[in-house]
Amino acid sequence: TLTVASANHWVTAWLGLELNMISILPMIAKQKHPRSTEAATKYFLTQATASALMLFASTINAWQTGSWNITQLNNKLSCILMIAALTMKTGAAPAHFWLPEVMQGATLATALLITTWQKIAPITLLYMISNHTEPIITLSIGLLSILVGGWGGFNQTQLRKMMAYSSIAHLGWTMTVISIMPNIALTNIIIYMIMSAPFFMLLMTTTSKTLQTMATTWTHTPTTTIILMLLLLSMAGLPPLTGFTPKLLILDNLVTHKLTLTAAIMALLSLLSLTFYLRTTYLLTSTAPPTTTHSTTTWRLKPHQNQITALLAPIALFNITILPALLT
């Protein structure tokens, strides 16, 4: 990831992405289970295809312009191909089909890596080529991702798949604004990472993989349940939580750039995501599961994970007051 982030040459960036992919494959396939192997295979095939397309795009650009510099992607065709490759790398719609399947096959810790750390390298490249991108393409990808992310998460009972669709929706918000205001796009994806990290860590602590097991956390750890509820509402983008800030900034910028209709459609499509966040919140807090259980307790709280969660959760919930000051 650091190789990609510090690269100036397309081949160096490609090399960094390949190393990144090869490194995470054993982590996905770590469990001795056919589903993990399937997930690793799917991840490998999509990422390899995207890498090949990216190398092809950069080669065309070098052939036409004579430059291998990342910031000088002046050829129109290579720019479109590059956006397609990076869309596939991140898992934004319409190249999103691999993401829910891979996350479902991986452990919670690996799923956290895929939704956060693995997004850094392609988003960095998108940020670097943002001044050459066609706004109509990025806006279309963004709107489609928000729609797919909201619609796909509707009937999910598996938390990892739900979080995969949540990731697609958040990527949509990033993609819509990347060619207009790349700084805000970067802010949005960083805030999403800060919000999803403590959420996944709490799921790891309570070993919750489905909505059913997640609903029983209230009887054991009420504090964890409240934090999970607040994190879900923050991801949904409800004020005064942190998740509301980037959405507000994005919509404000779209309206400033005379894209009021796009902003209105985005706001309406985000209601789809809000539905499944609120459903999960309702299950967590407003339904009382039986306090006595006949099954053995499957988990105990592990203190070492809670320290990182304790650090990230307040940032993920309450930094709305300082963020606008930071951006201006």
Side-chain angles (χ1 to χ4, degrees):
T1 306
L2 294 174
T3 308
V4 178
S6 58
N8 284 319
H9 198 285
W10 275 117
V11 176
T12 319
W14 171 80
L15 191 70
L17 284 166
E18 288 296 292
L19 286 169
N20 197 354
M21 176 190 72
I22 292 161
S23 307
I24 203 167
L25 283 174
M27 295 172 76
I28 300 170
K30 187 174 68 174
Q31 293 170 292
K32 304 289 184 286
H33 194 277
R35 181 166 275 178
S36 304
T37 317
E38 185 189 328
T41 312
K42 283 177 179 172
Y43 187 81
F44 170 74
L45 290 172
T46 47
Q47 297 295 314
T49 309
S51 292
L53 192 59
M54 180 186 149
L55 201 58
F56 178 56
S58 55
T59 310
I60 290 176
N61 186 63
W63 179 40
Q64 293 290 330
T65 63
S67 171
W68 281 96
N69 197 308
I70 292 175
T71 52
Q72 291 173 9
L73 197 70
N74 299 321
N75 185 273
K76 205 166 187 177
L77 174 65
S78 55
C79 191
I80 293 166
L81 286 172
M82 191 60 72
I83 293 169
L86 293 172
T87 301
M88 196 185 283
K89 278 262 176 213
T90 49
H96 66 281
F97 294 99
W98 62 272
L99 188 60
E101 297 298 321
V102 169
M103 279 181 66
Q104 186 58 29
T107 58
L108 283 166
T110 316
L112 168 62
L113 272 181
I114 292 167
T115 46
T116 54
W117 189 264
Q118 291 299 97
K119 299 273 187 282
I120 295 171
I123 292 288
T124 308
L125 289 174
L126 274 169
Y127 181 80
M128 287 163 89
I129 65 163
S130 58
N131 58 336
H132 294 295
T133 52
E134 288 283 325
I136 188 73
I137 297 172
T138 51
L139 281 168
S140 306
I141 291 169
L143 283 170
L144 190 61
S145 295
I146 297 167
L147 173 66
V148 166
W151 216 305
F154 245 57
N155 289 329
Q156 297 301 333
T157 53
Q158 296 288 336
L159 290 171
R160 282 167 294 182
K161 275 196 175 179
M162 196 181 86
M163 286 307 292
Y165 283 108
S166 159
S167 172
I168 293 163
H170 278 89
L171 274 169
W173 283 87
T174 306
M175 288 299 285
T176 42
V177 84
I178 194 105
S179 56
I180 301 163
M181 280 292 282
N183 288 348
I184 288 175
L186 217 57
T187 308
N188 180 57
I189 203 77
I190 289 165
I191 286 177
Y192 168 68
M193 288 173 190
I194 290 169
M195 288 187 297
S196 60
F199 185 79
F200 270 106
M201 282 170 186
L202 287 172
L203 292 186
M204 280 188 270
T205 310
T206 57
T207 61
S208 302
K209 291 192 178 82
T210 60
L211 286 175
Q212 190 181 3
T213 50
M214 194 181 178
T216 59
T217 54
W218 178 257
T219 51
H220 301 281
T221 50
T223 318
T224 305
T225 315
I226 291 164
I227 295 170
L228 279 169
M229 177 198 78
L230 288 170
L231 286 168
L232 280 164
L233 294 177
S234 184
M235 277 189 265
L238 294 180
L241 303 169
T242 304
F244 173 66
T245 314
K247 285 186 166 63
L248 178 69
L249 289 167
I250 289 166
L251 293 176
D252 176 48
N253 266 282
L254 288 171
V255 173
T256 310
H257 286 84
K258 305 284 191 294
L259 292 164
T260 315
L261 182 64
T262 312
I265 293 166
M266 283 170 68
L268 288 169
L269 289 178
S270 67
L271 293 175
L272 291 169
S273 299
L274 179 66
T275 309
F276 70 79
Y277 286 126
L278 285 179
R279 184 192 63 180
T280 315
T281 309
Y282 173 73
L283 275 173
L284 260 176
T285 53
S286 303
T287 56
T291 47
T292 54
T293 177
H294 298 295
S295 61
T296 54
T297 308
T298 53
W299 52 269
R300 286 277 181 268
L301 287 175
K302 302 180 190 74
H304 68 276
Q305 284 178 338
N306 293 345
Q307 291 163 4
I308 309 166
T309 314
L311 183 73
L312 286 171
I315 306 169
L317 296 174
F318 303 114
N319 80 341
I320 188 165
T321 47
I322 57 163
L323 200 74
L326 288 173
L327 285 167
T328 50

